[in-house]
């Protein structure tokens, strides 16, 4: 098998294609022609190696030769439909195998092309297949988001149902504690044991309350109450959460977080989620080859103190983002990740949180580099002024 990528500014730069054909000279030449047009290409010469590549790498469209020795393109297509249902397929066939190519379309292939394939016709079909995959992914993410919303409502209901008996237990424990202070009871032989048991009841009651609080946060969203936040500390805590993943991906972390910068008024849980979403996206971009994650924090002076702000810059050396996709990165349900690995809501939620604080967030990218810039005013909007 063969794996290669070339970054260009072509509109199809973000497409990832798998070519499967036992004619090595033909398929390698076809791969080179697609690469010169900015497409990421994987090549396999048999079904087994194709399945290995599909399992190891994200693929948008698979171009399958119908006729191969041993297991053919139709066999591969059947397995793909089971294991990788969102990967689109195009069939390549000779004129004598058109019937098999049509069978491939019945199994879910987008179309079939006759050999020798015209490169422009292939590019056109690849674009159509890629667009179809994006639409199907977005639909799947919306379904996942609906399921998550339903789970949130269920979690909120469960939390309320649990809270009622827990409150009764807590009040009963307080009443028993008061009774143990009565002289005739306090002198009893089992008072010490009763106090230890009561302490356990209260401890476990607090634990259940914490669990229900988390369920309510899941159902309603994050705690919106603002409080003084040291951004440098919050960024360090966030980086600790992803430290093991950085190590596993061979990502070097460069930190430039000066101490002593002013605090901002913000909901700390929400702001931590903003930083976490952005950093996780940066690590996603470096999953295949590792790289460097740089996190910087600076104080930006405005025309007066009321316009001073903190500036957070999170930079990665990943594959970058295609210019055609940049305007959509903060859209709800938009994601370049495979379905099941995210709903495309992380950056959208981050945008909403930062804008609600009166700040700005934007993302710029070149091949091999992306920078997310976050501006957080020192004087945040009060909760009542938050944007919807």
């Amino acid at each position: 098998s063969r794996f290669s990528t070339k970054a260009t500014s072509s509109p199809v730069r973000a497409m990832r294609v798998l070519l499967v054909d036992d004619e090595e000279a033909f398929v390698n030449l076809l791969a080179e022609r697609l690469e010169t047009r900015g497409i990421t290409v994987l090549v396999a010469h048999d079904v087994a190696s194709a399945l290995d590549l599909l399992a190891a790498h994200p693929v948008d469209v698979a171009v399958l030769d119908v006729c191969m020795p041993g297991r053919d393109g139709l066999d591969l297509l059947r397995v793909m439909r089971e294991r990788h249902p969102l990967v689109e397929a195009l069939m390549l066939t000779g004129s004598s195998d058109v019937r098999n190519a049509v069978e491939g379309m019945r199994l879910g292939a987008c179309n079939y092309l006759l050999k020798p394939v015209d490169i422009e016709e292939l590019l056109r079909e690849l674009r159509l297949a890629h667009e179809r995959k994006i639409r199907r992914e977005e639909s799947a993410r919306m379904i996942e988001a609906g399921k998550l919303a339903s789970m949130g409502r269920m979690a909120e209901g469960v939390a309320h149902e649990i809270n009622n008996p827990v409150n009764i237990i807590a009040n009963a424990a307080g009443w028993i504690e008061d009774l143990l202070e009565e002289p005739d009871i306090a002198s009893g032989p089992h008072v010490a044991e009763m106090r230890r048991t009561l302490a356990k009841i209260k401890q476990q009651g607090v634990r259940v309350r914490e669990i229900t609080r988390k369920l309510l946060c899941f159902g309603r969203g994050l705690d919106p109450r603002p409080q003084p936040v040291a951004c440098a500390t919050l960024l360090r805590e966030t980086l600790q959460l992803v430290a093991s993943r950085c190590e596993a991906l061979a990502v070097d972390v460069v930190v430039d977080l000066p101490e002593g910068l002013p605090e901002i008024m913000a909901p700390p849980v929400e702001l931590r989620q903003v930083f976490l979403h952005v950093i996780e996206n940066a690590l996603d971009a470096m999953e295949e080859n590792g790289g460097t994650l740089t996190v910087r924090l600076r104080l930006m002076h405005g025309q007066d103190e009321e316009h001073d702000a903190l500036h957070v810059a999170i930079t990665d050396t990943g594959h970058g983002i295609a210019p055609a996709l940049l305007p959509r990165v903060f859209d709800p349900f938009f994601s370049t990740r495979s379905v099941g690995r995210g709903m495309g809501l992380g950056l959208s939620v981050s945008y909403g949180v930062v804008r609600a604080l009166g700040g700005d967030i934007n993302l710029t990218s070149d091949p091999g580099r992306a920078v997310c810039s976050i501006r957080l005013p020192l004087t945040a909007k009060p909760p009542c002024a938050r944007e919807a």
Side-chain angles (χ1 to χ4, degrees):
S1 62
R2 175 172 168 273
F3 177 39
S4 61
T5 60
K6 293 187 179 180
T8 75
S9 58
S10 167
V12 293
R13 173 182 170 276
M15 195 189 307
R16 296 156 298 194
V17 173
L18 170 65
L19 302 180
V20 186
D21 199 306
D22 61 311
E23 298 181 34
E24 295 190 20
F26 164 76
V27 75
N28 288 342
L29 179 60
L30 184 60
E32 290 181 7
R33 297 183 72 186
L34 292 176
E35 287 170 353
T36 60
R37 288 160 173 83
I39 298 176
T40 298
V41 181
L42 296 127
V43 172
H45 304 299
D46 54 59
V47 171
S49 57
L51 290 174
D52 288 341
L53 289 174
L54 283 166
H57 302 283
V59 172
D60 296 312
V61 187
V63 181
L64 314 177
D65 184 22
V66 171
C67 185
M68 291 186 291
R71 301 178 70 183
D72 60 17
L74 293 179
D75 290 332
L76 176 55
L77 182 57
R78 291 186 184 95
V79 178
M80 281 175 51
R81 293 281 72 84
E82 294 178 4
R83 300 183 188 177
H84 311 281
L86 290 177
V87 176
E88 295 292 339
L90 288 172
M91 310 303 294
L92 286 185
T93 181
S95 57
S96 61
D97 294 320
V98 171
R99 183 176 299 177
N100 286 334
V102 173
E103 176 63 21
M105 293 183 66
R106 291 197 186 98
L107 293 172
C110 295
N111 206 345
Y112 71 89
L113 298 174
L114 294 177
K115 292 182 179 180
V117 63
D118 177 76
I119 191 67
E120 294 303 322
E121 185 179 5
L122 176 60
L123 283 170
R124 183 170 58 253
E125 292 296 334
L126 286 173
R127 290 190 183 99
L128 290 173
H130 189 207
E131 290 170 1
R132 177 178 166 182
K133 178 176 186 282
I134 291 173
R135 289 194 299 270
R136 291 173 64 207
E137 283 184 330
E138 290 180 349
S139 176
R141 287 189 183 97
M142 291 183 71
I143 292 171
E144 284 189 356
K147 291 178 180 177
L148 188 62
S150 297
M151 289 175 60
R153 288 191 293 271
M154 181 182 69
E156 187 174 354
V158 169
H160 280 300
E161 290 299 320
I162 293 175
N163 263 341
N164 291 330
V166 168
N167 286 333
I168 294 172
I169 292 170
N171 287 328
W175 179 67
I176 294 172
E177 193 171 34
D178 292 340
L179 288 178
L180 292 177
E181 299 299 325
E182 295 291 333
D184 55 336
I185 298 177
S187 59
H190 303 295
V191 169
E193 182 61 30
M194 292 173 67
R195 290 186 188 279
R196 283 194 293 271
T197 302
L198 186 61
K200 289 180 181 179
I201 292 173
K202 293 174 68 176
Q203 181 184 27
Q204 295 306 312
V206 170
R207 182 181 175 191
V208 173
R209 277 181 171 172
E210 179 64 18
I211 293 170
T212 58
R213 186 192 68 79
K214 290 178 180 178
L215 284 172
L216 285 169
C217 284
F218 179 72
R220 295 174 179 170
L222 300 172
D223 187 351
R225 291 172 295 184
Q227 52 189 279
V229 174
C231 281
T233 301
L234 204 60
L235 282 164
R236 287 193 181 89
E237 291 175 356
T238 307
L239 288 170
Q240 282 296 318
L241 295 176
V242 298
S244 59
R245 189 182 179 203
C246 291
E247 184 177 355
L249 295 178
V251 170
D252 296 322
V253 180
V254 176
V255 177
D256 185 4
L257 304 173
E259 297 290 351
L261 295 180
E263 294 180 332
I264 66 169
M265 287 296 295
V269 180
E270 287 192 355
L271 197 55
R272 183 185 290 109
Q273 287 296 316
V274 170
F275 296 152
L276 186 60
H277 285 315
V278 174
I279 290 171
E280 288 280 14
N281 274 273
L283 295 178
D284 288 341
M286 297 185 285
E287 267 192 331
E288 293 187 3
N289 302 312
T292 302
L293 174 71
T294 305
V295 181
R296 288 193 170 91
L297 177 65
R298 291 289 184 270
L299 174 62
M300 298 172 59
H301 293 288
Q303 298 174 347
D304 50 54
E305 288 187 5
E306 289 188 0
H307 292 87
D308 288 352
L310 294 181
H311 180 262
V312 181
I314 298 173
T315 306
D316 69 74
T317 58
H319 49 63
I321 301 173
L325 300 182
L326 272 175
R328 302 187 60 195
V329 293
F330 295 110
D331 289 352
F333 307 114
F334 177 78
S335 175
T336 58
R337 290 184 284 183
S338 58
V339 173
R341 297 196 54 210
M343 295 180 299
L345 290 173
L347 289 181
S348 176
V349 169
S350 299
Y351 179 86
V353 171
V354 173
R355 294 290 292 173
L357 294 172
D360 295 302
I361 179 171
N362 63 79
L363 200 149
T364 59
S365 180
D366 297 308
R369 183 174 181 268
V371 182
C372 186
S373 301
I374 304 170
R375 185 184 66 84
L376 298 167
L378 297 187
T379 305
K381 291 182 181 179
C384 61
R386 289 188 157 214
E387 299 174 4

